Structure formats: structure tokens, C-alpha cells
Amino acid sequence: MATYEDSNDDWWKSVPCHFKWDLEKKVTVNFWSVKTNLDSKLETRKDVDWSDSACDLLLFRGYLEVSDFVGVQRNFSEAERFFGLADEEAEKTTDELERNAYVTVATANRLWALRKNGVEPNEQISLLKVLEDSWKKYQDDSESREKINAYIGTVAAFAMSRLGVLKYKEAEERYRHAMKVLGQSVKSSWCQSLGMLIGRQSKHTTDAAPQYSEIKKEVRYYKKALRIDPYNDSSRCDYALALGRIPDCVQEAERIIQKVDQKYCEIFVKKARFFRRQKEYEKCVEVLREAVGLESLSGNFYHVFALFYKDLTNIAHQQGDYQMKREYRENEEQYLDKCLEIDHTHFGALSDKAFLYSMRGQFEDANKLYLHIMEEFKSSPFNLLSIQYGYARFILHRNAHCMNEESASAFEEVIKTACSILSTMGSIGDDIANNEKVLDSKKRLEQYYLTNGERDKLQDLRNRTSSVGF
């Protein structure tokens, strides 16, 4: 009887799939957050029909179950379930090359997963036949080969776009290449993803400034996404959110967001973010309350609700209404807890919860949570820098806003992370030198070392920061 070893079919090992894309390298996000966000997105399928295939999401989700990411306990049956769902989704695709691209990745993923799990070789032979029909048969047809590889490139781009800033450029290049090769077959979701990638790269390096250098390019891709699919309300929301950052375009952004009428969680979250950013709090809470009846709500939904109450807390404080301030803060904490029930690694909710502990004088709880967050996000440099700064400010607050050796040490950690970003991330990290948190940390340390006559430490700080450009 023929076996896998007898068939001499090692050709499949060169077939592009998640196992070939080095996805575990240079990851700057928390694995559990990626997994939770994908699951949350899948949940929305109960609320709305997607215009695009969900294959890229299902394939990546299956891969995560058998990947080498830190913290993964491999679940081969779950991986197979997701790959099977991707196959079912692929069957709905009318374009033969697109359908076979998805089948190719699903089958190649299965082959690698089976080898990891030590499954009988005969089953692998049957999968090789599937792979021959979906991918190998195109290898002598240069035009078809280029197109199927372009489709596969978008599957890779989908995964890379969710793994942090060091993966964004390659994801962007893969989407651009697919759009160039596939012409009229370009999907609205690819253009939307390109816009989001451009925006994320800029915002990572400018401390979420209201406007950034590439914002108009980002806007153009959202407009293109809507030309391809006028019903893509998710992209319409992104379009409005980006326009809302441009002072002369706020009214146009308002007009665009009012056209959004799809009713599922992601849409409500984006609309609420838009109105919150414009400080239109009545409209913001109206959107959030409309969404409460949905069957599935994400951690992001509850976090936006918490941020809404955080803003009201600040307004009440400014107005001297301390009773309402307490009520709003209680509501904020309630929604932070709901967010963390769904996604225990939600960075924003964790950070806000630690800050709440600090403001209430629960210093032991705050200290414990800050240390937990720093450990949880130690491989995510931009998040790490943000929470290190939050922790340093907490130490300062706990010490009655007096700088001492402990708080100086905490601000030094911010500087170390900033220097690491600048020295290892190339152009992606260049603008971190202008990050407000970094500049404030440096200023406080300089003043502290100068006041205490620690000129050696002051000079060392200046040498370290100037060597990397700030």
C-alpha cells in the first residue's frame, strides 16, 4: 500500500500558507487579544450577512490553534473545525481562482498541522490530491498562477495586519500587490484594510495625534472601498472617523456617519467612537443604548461605554459636581469589568482599571494591576511604553507628586523602552522621540537629576537618548 513517504511529494512544503509566513516573528501584540478579537468578529455573523468571504478570518483562526505563538496550547480538533468552516465558506465563492486559493491555504495548513500531530500518512496523501487540484495544476499557467498567489497574499495580509506594527508594512504591500494583479476583482475589504493599515502605522508613531501625515491617503482608500461596495458601512464609519480628524472636514464626517444604518456590534462601536471624539455625548450614548439588545456584544463595545462615562466623570469634576462624578466613575468601572469579562487582555480596559484604583487610593490594587499589565504586554513595545508611563505617574501620585528614587526608576523604564523602539524598529519607531509620554519622562528625569546634583546620571540619560535621536 502506498504511503506518504513512498509518494515523494515534498513539493507541498513550498505551498504558501500560514505555516510559511513567519507569523510568530516580530509580533508586537498580545496573542490572547488577537484570538479574542477574531472570535468577537465571528460572533457578528449572527447579526449581519457579510458581503465578503470570511475565509481569511477562519483560516487564521484555525492556524492560531496549532501555531507556535507563546502561550498556545495546541488544539488540533479546533483547528480542523475552523479549516472545515473555511472550506464551506470557500464553496460559496464564485471565482474559481479565489475559491482554490482558500482551499489551497486550508489544505496546506492541514498538512502541516497533521504532521505536527503525528497523523497517519494515508490521510496526508488524500490531502495532497486536493492540493494538486487547487494549486499545483496552475503552476504551468503563469497568468492563473499570479492571480491565485495574489489571492493567497491577501490571506497572509489579513493575518499580518493583526499582529502588530512590525507586520503592517508587509501586509500593506501584499494588499497593494493583489490590487495591482487582480484589477476588477479587487475587494472593498482590501481597500478598507489598506486604509486602516496606513492609519495605524501613522498613529503608532504620533501618540494618537488628531491629524497625521498619511491621513489623506488613508481617506482615499476608504472612499475606494465604498465605490466598490456602497453597502460597506464598516468602511463608511472608518471614513468618517478619519475625516473627523481633519478640522475642515468635520461637517462632512458628520454627514457620512449619519448615512450608516447597519446594526451590528462593530458598527455601533465605531459610531459611538465617532460621536465621543466629537464630544457629542448625547448621540454617543444613544448609539450605545441602541446596541444593548444585540445578541453578541464585544469587549470593545463595553470599553467605549466605559470611556463615555470616563468623559462624563471629567466633566463633572470640572463643574465641581462630585456626587455625579462618583456615579459616573462607578458606571465606568461597571463597564470596564464587563469588558474584561469578555476579553481579560483588553489593554485599554486594564489600563483604565489600574488608573481607577489609583484615583480611589487603592494603591495596592493599582500597583498589582500595573505590574500584571506590564508583564502581560512586555512583548508589545508601544503598549508597554504606555503602561510604563501610567505606572510611573501612579508612583508619582502615590508619593504626593514628589519625585524620588522609586518614581525616577519608573520613568527610566519608559526611556529604556523608547530607546529600544528607536534602535530596533527603524523608521516605524522614528517619531516615538516626539511622543508626549517619552518627552515628559525625559523632562522629569532631567529635572530630578539636576535638582539632586546627580550629574553623572543626567549626562548618561542625555547620552542614551541623543544616541537614538531624541
Side-chain angles (χ1 to χ4, degrees), residues 332-349:
E332 177 190 356
E333 185 171 22
Q334 173 188 344
Y335 284 108
L336 289 177
D337 289 341
K338 286 186 176 183
C339 172
L340 292 170
E341 285 176 13
I342 295 171
D343 180 2
H344 69 279
T345 62
H346 194 290
F347 178 78

Side-chain angles (χ1 to χ4, degrees), residues 230-413:
Y231 299 101
N232 185 348
D233 267 357
S234 177
S235 187
R236 184 169 283 108
C237 287
D238 292 334
Y239 181 26
L241 281 161
L243 276 182
R245 291 177 175 268
I246 305 173
D248 294 340
C249 298
V250 172
Q251 286 188 338
E252 184 182 357
E254 292 262 10
R255 179 180 59 79
I256 290 166
I257 203 72
Q258 296 295 347
K259 290 183 177 181
V260 174
D261 60 6
Q262 291 179 354
K263 299 184 185 301
Y264 60 98
C265 185
E266 178 189 358
I267 296 297
F268 285 118
V269 168
K270 289 182 177 183
K271 287 180 70 174
R273 283 174 177 163
F274 175 86
F275 289 123
R276 175 178 174 259
R277 186 181 294 165
Q278 301 304 325
K279 302 187 187 307
E280 296 185 52
Y281 295 116
E282 289 186 8
K283 291 182 179 179
C284 176
V285 74
E286 181 181 338
V287 168
L288 292 168
R289 286 173 176 162
E290 184 180 0
V292 168
L294 291 179
E295 182 178 349
S296 54
L297 292 171
S298 67
N300 284 334
F301 169 81
Y302 289 115
H303 187 234
V304 174
F305 225 140
L307 292 175
F308 162 75
Y309 279 112
K310 182 177 184 178
D311 288 351
L312 295 190
T313 299
N314 292 334
I315 292 171
H317 177 77
Q318 292 166 7
Q319 294 173 344
D321 190 340
Y322 297 111
Q323 180 178 346
M324 291 308 302
K325 177 183 175 180
R326 283 192 297 273
E327 291 183 19
Y328 290 145
R329 183 157 281 171
E330 288 173 2
N331 288 333
E332 177 190 356
E333 185 171 22
Q334 173 188 344
Y335 284 108
L336 289 177
D337 289 341
K338 286 186 176 183
C339 172
L340 292 170
E341 285 176 13
I342 295 171
D343 180 2
H344 69 279
T345 62
H346 194 290
F347 178 78
L350 287 168
S351 303
D352 291 340
K353 187 69 181 284
F355 180 76
L356 274 183
Y357 282 148
S358 174
M359 290 298 99
R360 283 208 301 251
Q362 295 176 248
F363 294 148
E364 185 175 343
D365 291 331
N367 191 75
K368 182 178 179 181
L369 185 53
Y370 274 119
L371 293 175
H372 166 75
I373 302 169
M374 286 189 283
E375 176 64 23
E376 189 78 20
F377 289 88
K378 62 185 178 183
S379 62
S380 182
F382 290 97
N383 284 337
L384 179 61
L385 185 146
S386 178
I387 199 63
Q388 284 174 331
Y389 180 76
Y391 181 63
R393 291 297 302 265
F394 156 66
I395 297 297
L396 197 62
H397 171 66
R398 189 177 65 183
N399 294 337
H401 298 280
C402 294
M403 280 286 286
N404 60 14
E405 187 174 343
E406 183 184 21
S407 52
S409 176
F411 281 113
E412 276 285 8
E413 293 301 312

Side-chain angles (χ1 to χ4, degrees), residues 157 160-162 167-169 171-172 175 192-202 222:
M160 293 171 182
S161 67
R162 283 152 177 82
K167 297 285 191 182
Y168 290 166
K169 183 56 68 177
E172 180 184 339
Y175 277 127
Q192 181 184 0
S193 294
L194 259 176
M196 292 172 68
L197 285 165
I198 290 167
R200 286 176 188 169
Q201 289 175 83
S202 295
Y222 296 142

Side-chain angles (χ1 to χ4, degrees), residues 25-28 160 163-173 197-208 213-214 380-382 385 417-435 468:
K25 295 181 179 178
K26 297 182 179 179
V27 173
T28 58
M160 293 171 182
L163 294 175
V165 67
L166 293 181
K167 297 285 191 182
Y168 290 166
K169 183 56 68 177
E170 184 175 354
E172 180 184 339
E173 290 170 355
L197 285 165
I198 290 167
R200 286 176 188 169
Q201 289 175 83
S202 295
K203 284 178 276 191
H204 259 296
T205 57
T206 54
D207 201 25
S213 60
E214 299 292 309
S380 182
F382 290 97
L385 185 146
T417 299
C419 289
S420 175
I421 291 172
L422 284 161
S423 62
T424 61
M425 292 193 174
S427 60
I428 292 174
D430 282 351
D431 286 342
I432 203 71
N434 298 317
N435 182 290
V468 291

